[in-house]
Amino acid sequence: MDAGVVAAALEEARFDARQASRYEDLADDLRGPAELAEWERIAALLAAAPAGTVYDPDVDDVVQAELAADAAAAAREAELHEAVRIAARANHLQVLRDLGTLDQAEPAEGDEAARDELTRRTGGYVQADVDAWLAHALAAHRGHYRDPAARHAAAGLLTPPVLAHAALLGELLRLVPGADVGELAFAARLAATEPEAVDALAALLTRALTPGSWA
């Protein structure tokens, strides 16, 4: 906007303010005075600038500061909403644990964070049953782990023992498709103590079970 456009907008805002002052029901309306003050500020900026300067909100420090404040407030609100959602999901998983039905639940997006929340609540104690549930789900591609992107993301969200457990389970289930979960309980114990060795074993099994991989 050039100075002429700003001057016209300022005059219109002043006219609206004079009109509003005549009506009692509009006396408490803060939008009009705020709009007038903003146009006065912009007009003052152009008056102090070299002749021919146009107003650009992208280089207006006040506007940019307001936008940054709005973005920060929105981010804080989103973080709070996500924290509430994670806490609610952690509560739900805890109920399923108490009922002994966790293994029947389908994992959902964000359960990695719910797992961390449960661990935080217990002062860092490893949630062995939740870890095993997530590892089984990851290995079997259950729930949101059906999506390859979710499985890829899990590599940065789950602990090395859980990932190693899932990797070994996946190869063992390929080797013995009908194996019962109870028969593979040893995989969790191995992964908890030697996750790097379990990763190496899973990689070796992958090569053994993939035709042509030894060529």
Side-chain angles (χ1 to χ4, degrees), residues 119-145:
T119 302
R120 184 193 65 77
R121 293 177 183 180
T122 56
Y125 177 76
V126 174
Q127 308 298 300
D129 47 359
V130 176
D131 282 0
W133 171 66
L134 286 170
H136 281 98
L138 184 56
H141 299 178
R142 287 176 52 201
H144 79 301
Y145 289 133

Side-chain angles (χ1 to χ4, degrees), residues 13-99:
R14 285 171 174 166
F15 175 79
D16 290 341
R18 288 194 298 269
Q19 291 295 101
S21 67
R22 299 175 182 177
Y23 299 94
E24 185 176 349
D25 59 334
L26 297 177
D28 295 330
D29 186 359
L30 300 178
R31 290 173 298 178
E35 182 179 352
L36 175 57
E38 181 64 4
W39 282 119
E40 288 176 338
R41 186 186 68 82
I42 294 173
L45 283 178
L46 290 183
T53 300
V54 296
Y55 174 73
D56 183 357
D58 289 341
V59 296
D60 186 334
D61 291 341
V62 173
V63 171
Q64 294 307 309
E66 290 175 349
L67 291 175
D70 289 344
R76 287 193 298 271
E77 184 176 353
E79 289 175 1
L80 178 59
H81 178 77
E82 180 65 5
V84 170
R85 189 189 69 80
I86 290 171
R89 179 59 173 171
N91 291 339
H92 181 62
L93 294 180
Q94 182 63 59
V95 170
L96 295 178
R97 293 169 69 182
D98 294 342
L99 294 174

